[in-house]
Amino acid sequence: MTPRDDHIRTCQNQVIRHLVDAPEKAVSTALISGTVSEGLQCQVSQGQHRVAMDLGKTMGGDGTAPSPSFFAKAGLVGCLAIATKMTAARAGLNIRSVHVEIETDTDTLAMFGLGGGSAAPLDTRIEITIDSDEDDIVIDALIDQVLVIDTWFLALRDAQPVSIDWTRKAKAA
């Protein structure tokens, strides 16, 4: 293991020990919010982090930032790659790099509520490439483990309760 991987393992194990000792702290709530005003650009924030999202000019946006679908897929790519690397580090595996590619098929007509199809992705294909000298059986077990613990992979794969509420600001006089 590299010194950096050893550091990752040490940090992860400290968090695990803390959560095992205080399981009531294991469930957390995260709030992220976004606002669209003029045009289609959405300003999104969570804590101190801020990003902008926009649609391309062909969709009526200004193309000033990546689309929301970019961020959704980028989040999944990052989540799977990071979860693989951190899980490997905790297990003491020597993984030089993890590369994740996600390819999705979507029905754009359905995104406009037309055509009778589903606006949900029709098919999602994930390819994970690992640079390592570990045995294939070890890597296979690592990927199997990651796919049962990765939050955003599971959010894509599994149905879950989602609650929606809305409010109206006061109407302009």
Side-chain angles (χ1 to χ4, degrees):
M1 280 184 59
T2 67
R4 180 62 196 237
D5 287 344
D6 188 48
H7 173 73
I8 292 167
R9 178 172 56 182
T10 298
C11 290
Q12 297 285 313
N13 286 334
Q14 287 174 347
V15 170
I16 290 167
R17 278 193 300 280
H18 172 73
L19 294 174
V20 167
D21 291 344
E24 70 279 1
K25 295 181 180 178
V27 176
S28 62
T29 301
L31 174 64
I32 186 168
S33 63
T35 302
V36 175
S37 294
E38 179 67 28
L40 294 177
Q41 188 183 86
C42 185
Q43 298 296 320
V44 179
S45 63
Q46 180 179 7
Q48 65 187 23
H49 301 288
R50 311 253 182 288
V51 297
M53 299 177 191
D54 198 356
L55 291 183
K57 292 181 180 193
T58 59
M59 293 292 282
D62 295 321
T64 60
S67 69
S69 67
F70 167 86
F71 283 101
K73 291 177 275 192
L76 182 55
V77 163
C79 206
L80 284 169
I82 291 168
T84 302
K85 183 74 165 151
M86 74 181 205
T87 303
R90 273 199 326 275
L93 302 177
N94 184 15
I95 304 293
R96 286 182 289 277
S97 68
V98 179
H99 178 80
V100 177
E101 290 184 1
I102 294 179
E103 186 175 50
T104 56
D105 298 329
T106 55
D107 179 350
T108 306
L109 197 58
M111 292 184 342
F112 290 103
L114 303 171
S118 172
L122 303 172
D123 189 34
T124 299
R125 294 166 300 282
I126 300 172
E127 184 173 323
I128 302 171
T129 303
I130 296 180
D131 182 10
S132 175
D133 295 327
E134 301 288 347
D135 290 334
D136 286 353
I137 195 163
V138 171
I139 299 299
D140 194 47
L142 170 66
I143 297 301
D144 286 347
Q145 183 181 3
V146 167
L147 295 180
V148 298
I149 64 169
D150 188 273
T151 302
W152 295 106
F153 170 74
L154 295 171
L156 171 69
R157 188 193 73 182
D158 300 343
Q160 67 214 273
V162 176
S163 57
I164 307 289
D165 193 13
W166 69 274
T167 57
R168 178 196 314 260
K169 285 193 168 191
K171 289 184 179 183

